[in-house]
Amino acid sequence: MAEVVSGVWRVVSARVGAGFPGVPANHLASRPQGEVTEGCRLPVLRRNQDNEDEWPLAEILSVKDISGRKLFYVHYIDFNKRLDEWVTHDRLDLKKIQFPKKEAKTPTKNGLPGSRPSSPEREVRKTLDLSLQPASTPASGKTLPIPVQITLRFNLPKEREAVPGEPDQPLSSSSCVQPNHRTTKRKVEVVSPATPVPASTETTQASVFPQNGSARRAVAAQPGRKRKSNCLGTDEDSQDSSDGIPSAPRMTGSLVSDRSHDDIITRMKNIECIELGRHRLKPWYFSPYPQELTTLPVLYLCEFCLKYVKSLKCLQRHLTKCDLRHPPGNEIYRKGTISFFEIDGRKNKSYSQNLCLLAKCFLDHKTLYYDTDPFLFYVMTEYDCKGFHIVGYFSKEKESTEDYNVACILTLPPYQRRGYGKLLIEFSYELSKVEGKTGTPEKPLSDLGLLSYRSYWSQTILEILMNLKSENGERPQITINEISEITSIKKEDVISTLQYLNLINYYKGQYILTLSEDIVDGHERAMLKRILRIDSKCLHFTPKDWSKRGKW
């Protein structure tokens, strides 16, 4: 009898394992019995980019039952949310399951008790929060180096005047650039030596933790005074606010998402598929489309007005009535088949809202405001005999107090990795040049956005440095301000890019900027691939003074 039972068990386990390649039958057969609930963590089988099986740790966000078959929505820990998916029971490794722990009920800020299941991720976050506490004030006799990067002109406040007679010190990875009154000129590779100043204010620990695959340094503010400049780390750019602490999103203008109110609903993709013209798109993130449309296998969008409908028949009926063959608004740029349209969020509210809904499917770091009045939208299109088809877009505030020239930026997935992203970025800076301003994108950037901006900044700055002409046999001269004025890239982004490229070195008491052969060769190869460029002669754009409310 025992042999029969054992034989039956072997047959059942072989059947289960046979349906899932790479999963041994005895592995599934020996699973412990236990109900998988929301909040559990366990390894889940998935295929990687090399089409190989792997078992990354994942968190169960939701469970649903379809015709007696359980499906689990999983988020792979340390992976981007766009990889989240529904999986079957057979892809779960129940032997290594981690059940959520119940925290003791403790009073919250409102005085109300709260008990939220803890997870390893939250425990790590608590540890990081503790590591960000300010360090003790250094002894008054110690000094900190104030490096002068490339011929950057600094304006030093009176309370931070340089102390003569102190020895030069090299730039450390945690040093901050402070302004200096003196105007310094330098040959393209050599800069004036660093001058140390007394460390009279409170310093902080440089706590580094991973974010989007890169290290980021968090520095607390100096008490009693607003910081004039950020540390020159290779952090994602000066993503923090001016006082070193991320500020809450502004209710008007900003599209930055406040992640503190995330819940299970917004963490899960709610649209299965979107048909836009000749493309079918698989969304990456949650987007607040109407609830009744989230259960459809395909959501249909008009590619010209972006109106969403529930069926192909409804779309066909809509197309017989839709007169648009291009985005509404003014066409301000055209070269070849590429055009840009400027759309006022107040005058074309319906189109702007539909564009935001579509963009939210592929942007996780931004939120959605139905009040689109404070924004301008610049939509890039590709023209053919049927009309102007949307490729990507970026939005910007009509009035930005923080020099933002981009709020959201997106290239639709079918057009990614074809140079359109850099074209959008280049166009945003071309508008800033016409406006006579320097600009920077609103933070935080997504992982793909950060890669695109770093690549654009690097290529643009290297292009300027390599085209400098020497005079009288001496090295050519340029300052950070001049680079910023030529490119309209904000000075903080110029400095962070130079450090990211590791161009700044300390040599014989001076900071020098060196371009190695590898950097030059890599830049030349990259520029050969960059075929799409903005032609300023094809831009027909007149900036408006949005401070006058009558123009809204």
Side-chain angles (χ1 to χ4, degrees):
M1 188 68 172
E3 292 180 2
V4 174
V5 172
S6 177
V8 171
W9 179 256
R10 280 197 296 271
V11 171
V12 172
S13 63
R15 285 178 181 171
V16 174
F20 297 89
V23 185
N26 59 355
H27 170 78
L28 293 171
S30 58
R31 287 177 172 174
Q33 296 298 320
E35 186 178 359
V36 181
T37 58
E38 296 175 2
C40 291
R41 292 191 172 196
L42 72 172
V44 176
L45 176 64
R46 72 179 294 273
R47 291 286 178 93
N48 60 20
Q49 291 180 340
D50 300 324
N51 206 27
E52 298 173 348
D53 291 340
E54 60 182 5
W55 293 85
L57 184 66
E59 180 181 357
I60 305 295
L61 298 184
S62 182
V63 183
K64 68 180 180 181
D65 196 321
I66 299 180
S67 303
R69 186 187 186 196
K70 275 195 173 183
L71 295 177
F72 304 87
Y73 192 86
V74 298
H75 165 63
Y76 297 104
I77 309 301
D78 298 328
F79 286 73
N80 194 281
K81 280 170 57 178
R82 60 176 168 266
L83 298 178
D84 296 0
E85 60 180 336
W86 289 98
V87 301
T88 56
H89 189 274
D90 304 283
R91 290 173 59 182
L92 309 180
D93 184 0
L94 297 180
K95 290 200 301 184
K96 299 180 181 179
I97 189 169
Q98 304 173 19
F99 291 100
K101 297 178 181 178
K102 290 279 186 177
E103 293 179 350
K105 292 187 177 181
T106 54
T108 61
K109 289 183 180 179
N110 322 355
L112 299 175
S115 62
R116 184 184 180 191
S118 67
S119 67
E121 187 178 352
R122 283 192 287 275
E123 295 299 329
V124 171
R125 211 175 278 135
K126 289 180 182 177
T127 306
L128 290 172
D129 290 340
L130 292 175
S131 70
L132 294 176
Q133 299 300 323
S136 57
T137 306
S140 57
K142 295 185 179 180
T143 60
L144 292 177
I146 300 300
V148 182
Q149 305 262 349
I150 332 187
T151 50
L152 172 60
R153 300 184 178 94
F154 294 120
N155 297 316
L156 186 68
K158 291 184 179 180
E159 62 269 27
R160 297 292 299 272
E161 286 291 348
V163 178
E166 294 288 346
D168 295 333
Q169 298 183 20
L171 173 67
S172 65
S173 61
S174 59
S175 299
C176 290
V177 166
Q178 300 291 346
N180 188 344
H181 261 321
R182 300 194 257 308
T183 300
T184 59
K185 265 260 195 199
R186 120 190 181 305
K187 309 172 175 180
V188 121
E189 290 190 348
V190 183
V191 271
S192 53
T195 308
V197 297
S200 58
T201 57
E202 185 178 5
T203 60
T204 59
Q205 291 178 330
S207 301
V208 179
F209 54 92
Q211 178 172 345
N212 291 340
S214 62
R216 179 177 174 185
R217 179 171 294 106
V219 182
Q222 295 178 357
R225 187 169 13 146
K226 189 174 182 180
R227 292 175 59 217
K228 294 287 179 83
S229 60
N230 293 333
C231 277
L232 286 184
T234 55
D235 65 55
E236 303 174 354
D237 65 303
S238 341
Q239 297 229 26
D240 291 342
S241 58
S242 57
D243 60 358
I245 301 173
S247 59
R250 290 162 287 130
M251 295 309 293
T252 58
S254 176
L255 287 178
V256 174
S257 173
D258 182 4
R259 310 308 299 273
S260 62
H261 300 295
D262 276 4
D263 54 25
I264 295 298
I265 299 299
T266 58
R267 289 180 66 187
M268 294 170 53
K269 289 178 258 191
N270 59 335
I271 303 295
E272 186 66 27
C273 181
I274 292 177
E275 183 171 305
L276 180 68
R278 61 180 180 270
H279 301 292
R280 281 207 169 185
L281 316 177
K282 189 173 182 181
W284 296 349
Y285 308 110
F286 170 88
S287 182
Y289 279 103
Q291 179 68 30
E292 60 270 18
L293 301 179
T294 59
T295 57
L296 301 174
V298 179
L299 179 63
Y300 295 88
L301 267 63
C302 172
E303 63 176 327
F304 300 115
C305 71
L306 303 183
K307 177 181 173 64
Y308 49 85
V309 293
K310 63 181 180 179
S311 68
L312 181 59
K313 188 173 182 179
C314 292
L315 177 63
Q316 292 170 345
R317 188 163 56 245
H318 165 78
L319 291 176
T320 61
K321 305 174 185 176
C322 184
D323 298 328
L324 283 179
R325 288 299 175 264
H326 59 78
N330 300 322
E331 185 180 9
I332 60 174
Y333 179 91
R334 182 188 291 186
K335 184 177 183 182
T337 59
I338 300 297
S339 295
F340 279 86
F341 290 82
E342 182 185 52
I343 299 160
D344 190 327
R346 182 182 67 85
K347 296 179 181 178
N348 301 279
K349 192 179 293 287
S350 177
Y351 181 91
S352 302
Q353 291 177 354
N354 289 336
L355 179 60
C356 288
L357 282 169
L358 173 62
K360 186 62 185 71
C361 291
F362 306 99
L363 295 174
D364 185 36
H365 292 271
K366 304 295 181 180
T367 188
L368 185 76
Y369 284 101
Y370 283 97
D371 181 15
T372 57
D373 289 12
F375 294 95
L376 294 169
F377 298 84
Y378 295 90
V379 178
M380 178 169 63
T381 63
E382 200 172 45
Y383 175 77
D384 64 14
C385 59
K386 295 183 179 179
F388 295 80
H389 309 279
I390 181 171
V391 171
Y393 89 104
F394 69 88
S395 59
K396 63 184 293 186
E397 300 175 68
K398 293 176 180 176
E399 294 181 87
S400 176
T401 58
E402 295 164 324
D403 296 329
Y404 291 141
N405 65 352
V406 165
C408 291
I409 184 168
L410 171 70
T411 304
L412 292 175
Y415 299 95
Q416 291 179 359
R417 304 185 65 84
R418 292 167 56 181
Y420 289 114
K422 280 196 183 71
L423 197 67
L424 281 167
I425 295 172
E426 186 178 2
F427 189 78
S428 69
Y429 281 107
E430 201 64 41
L431 295 182
S432 296
K433 291 176 185 178
V434 176
E435 293 170 347
K437 301 176 182 177
T438 59
T440 187
E442 190 171 286
K443 313 303 187 304
L445 294 169
S446 66
D447 53 349
L448 298 178
L450 178 60
L451 288 173
S452 297
Y453 265 96
R454 273 184 174 166
S455 178
Y456 172 79
W457 289 334
S458 301
Q459 292 179 8
T460 304
I461 293 172
L462 286 173
E463 195 172 22
I464 290 174
L465 296 179
M466 291 174 61
N467 290 333
L468 289 175
K469 304 295 183 182
S470 60
E471 299 177 2
N472 302 326
E474 296 182 354
R475 295 185 181 95
Q477 299 180 356
I478 194 169
T479 65
I480 295 290
N481 282 338
E482 289 170 350
I483 295 176
S484 182
E485 289 171 5
I486 294 171
T487 63
S488 285
I489 300 174
K490 204 170 182 181
K491 287 188 290 185
E492 289 80 0
D493 295 331
V494 173
I495 296 171
S496 66
T497 302
L498 291 173
Q499 282 213 327
Y500 173 72
L501 293 172
N502 200 24
L503 299 183
I504 304 173
N505 297 288
Y506 190 74
Y507 179 70
K508 290 186 179 181
Q510 293 180 323
Y511 288 94
I512 62 173
L513 180 65
T514 55
L515 300 178
S516 66
E517 290 184 5
D518 292 340
I519 290 178
V520 173
D521 293 342
H523 172 70
E524 290 176 347
R525 286 194 303 269
M527 295 307 291
L528 288 175
K529 297 178 183 177
R530 191 172 163 188
I531 302 172
L532 296 174
R533 299 297 297 268
I534 293 296
D535 185 353
S536 58
K537 297 177 183 177
C538 300
L539 176 64
H540 305 281
F541 170 70
T542 304
K544 296 181 181 178
D545 182 9
W546 295 104
S547 60
K548 299 176 181 178
R549 294 293 179 181
K551 293 197 175 185
W552 277 48

